[in-house]
Amino acid sequence: MRLPARPVDLYFALVTALMESVRMTGSLTLGRLFSKAAATAAYGLSPVRRRQKERALALAFGSLERHEARRIVTGSFLNFWEDLFLELGVERPERKGGALLEGEEHLDAALVRGNGAILWESNSFGRRALAKEILASHGHRLVQLHIENHLGGLHNDGLDRSWLREKVLNRCWEAREMEYLEEIIRLPRDGSLAYARTLRHRLRANKIICSAADGNWGEKTMATPFLGGVRHFSTGMVSLSRLTGAPLMPLFCYRETDGRFRVRIDPPLAHPPRIEREEATRRTLAEFARLLESCVKDHPEQYHAWHNVPGERGRI
């Protein structure tokens, strides 16, 4: 049954209203103020999550000085909120000395072959929306795959839909993203595979599809070693790439130490030949996890999901 609104939707509505106020004013100062306030509140009100992040850091790095672990954890909270309040039209790349786009030649080469391309991102690292803005400025508008009720980086609990979520919040966030995307395709919660046919059609039209490898929803996921523990990565894009011939390329966007943003498109991930299909998929996922782990270790404060990295027994 679709409710008018659920309690969590009121929280989402408040965040969305604040986000829109920052966006309408274009004030970097206001965006930073809201980001800092939200991150400070989240840090103070989330002792369990803080401890989970600290334990995951210990898995990934071994022993860390307490002040260094705290710097990474506080930075993780702050980067999450900056990703909401400062993206798309507020924190312009030129305000930070420009942005670097690395690996565009891999994307261009894929499009020349005519089978489309698949960009594989992380839903928890760096600046996803900013990557799309920068790619659009270079003439590449993407077809983005999202789960139903996707609201940026805000938690999606998978509960019943509400009128407020469907008719107001979803449309607000979608309008925001569509400034830099060509299309958004929703991944249904009921397990229907109709969307897969749509994705194949887009690739046949030589479009660029973008999807998160570490999303929480998908027909099938596979546990993969990651940051000293394990994390589940979706296998769907590996299968789609193999089926259509569209190359599967990792996409990362992060801030360098000099303040500039870097959008990085890595070379296509190989599909290992002459081995069993599941093992080939496992190797492809492991390679993506290795590349993502390298980025995260270089910029640990820009990874939002330290609390979601389980240990060896699947728990932190």
Side-chain angles (χ1 to χ4, degrees):
M1 181 178 68
R2 191 173 71 174
L3 304 172
R6 294 181 290 116
V8 70
D9 291 331
L10 302 180
Y11 162 68
F12 290 159
L14 174 61
V15 172
T16 303
L18 292 174
M19 178 194 76
E20 285 300 304
S21 68
V22 171
R23 186 162 171 258
M24 288 174 63
T25 62
S27 172
L28 190 57
T29 300
L30 185 61
R32 285 175 172 164
L33 177 64
F34 284 161
S35 300
K36 181 68 173 177
T40 301
Y43 183 89
L45 295 171
S46 309
V48 173
R49 182 162 291 192
R50 285 203 315 267
R51 289 193 293 271
Q52 288 173 334
K53 287 177 182 285
E54 290 167 358
R55 286 196 288 269
L57 284 169
L59 277 175
F61 292 102
S63 60
L64 281 176
E65 294 289 340
R66 186 169 182 80
H67 70 87
E68 180 64 9
R70 179 166 183 171
R71 181 192 69 81
I72 293 172
V73 171
T74 56
S76 176
F77 278 101
L78 181 59
N79 271 270
F80 170 81
W81 288 102
E82 284 185 342
D83 195 33
L84 295 179
F85 284 119
L86 297 183
E87 293 294 8
L88 299 183
V90 179
E91 193 171 40
R92 292 288 187 184
E94 57 267 23
R95 291 185 178 181
K96 287 295 180 182
L100 304 173
L101 177 56
E102 177 184 299
E104 186 179 13
E105 67 274 11
H106 304 310
L107 185 57
D108 290 338
L111 297 177
V112 166
R113 288 193 290 272
N115 293 323
I118 304 171
L119 296 179
W120 225 12
E121 62 182 352
S122 167
N123 68 356
S124 304
F125 176 72
R127 300 297 186 87
R128 296 177 68 190
L130 188 62
K132 317 303 165 47
E133 179 181 355
I134 293 170
L135 284 168
S137 72
H138 284 255
H140 303 296
R141 285 185 172 265
L142 313 184
V143 176
Q144 181 71 49
L145 182 61
H146 280 322
I147 61 173
E148 282 187 351
N149 291 338
H150 172 81
L151 294 178
L154 296 176
H155 174 64
N156 189 301
D157 52 25
L159 297 177
D160 291 338
R161 302 178 182 90
S162 69
W163 181 90
L164 179 61
R165 174 81 73 94
E166 240 178 59
K167 301 299 183 182
V168 179
L169 300 181
N170 275 0
R171 292 182 181 182
C172 179
W173 283 81
E174 187 164 304
R176 184 186 191 222
E177 288 192 86
M178 284 304 297
E179 292 183 24
Y180 301 100
L181 297 175
E182 179 168 321
E183 182 183 8
I184 294 175
I185 295 174
R186 300 283 178 177
L187 178 63
R189 294 182 299 169
D190 61 8
S192 168
L193 296 180
Y195 76 94
R197 186 180 307 109
T198 302
L199 295 180
R200 291 197 296 270
H201 288 162
R202 298 298 182 270
L203 291 174
R204 280 200 291 268
N206 208 28
K207 303 295 184 182
I208 307 167
I209 290 173
C210 186
S211 177
D214 49 359
N216 295 324
W217 295 80
E219 180 193 2
K220 184 179 178 183
T221 62
M222 188 175 288
T224 305
F226 183 62
L227 291 172
V230 294
R231 181 151 190 185
H232 280 78
F233 290 84
S234 173
T235 65
M237 292 301 106
V238 181
S239 299
L240 184 65
S241 173
R242 185 183 292 113
L243 178 66
T244 63
L248 181 60
M249 293 172 283
L251 171 68
F252 306 110
C253 178
Y254 47 88
R255 192 198 303 265
E256 296 282 18
T257 54
D258 63 3
R260 290 191 298 176
F261 294 104
R262 180 182 297 272
V263 177
R264 195 180 99 195
I265 302 173
D266 284 359
L269 298 171
H271 297 304
R274 296 185 297 278
I275 61 174
E276 191 267 333
R277 180 174 175 175
E278 184 168 343
E279 177 59 24
T281 298
R282 189 182 305 279
R283 292 188 188 183
T284 301
L285 294 177
E287 177 61 12
F288 177 84
R290 184 190 67 79
L291 293 168
L292 175 59
E293 181 174 301
S294 177
C295 287
V296 170
K297 286 188 171 182
D298 286 342
H299 307 279
E301 73 287 348
Q302 296 182 50
Y303 187 59
H304 311 153
W306 284 108
H307 56 284
N308 284 334
V309 181
E312 294 179 1
R313 296 183 181 179
R315 302 177 63 183
I316 294 179

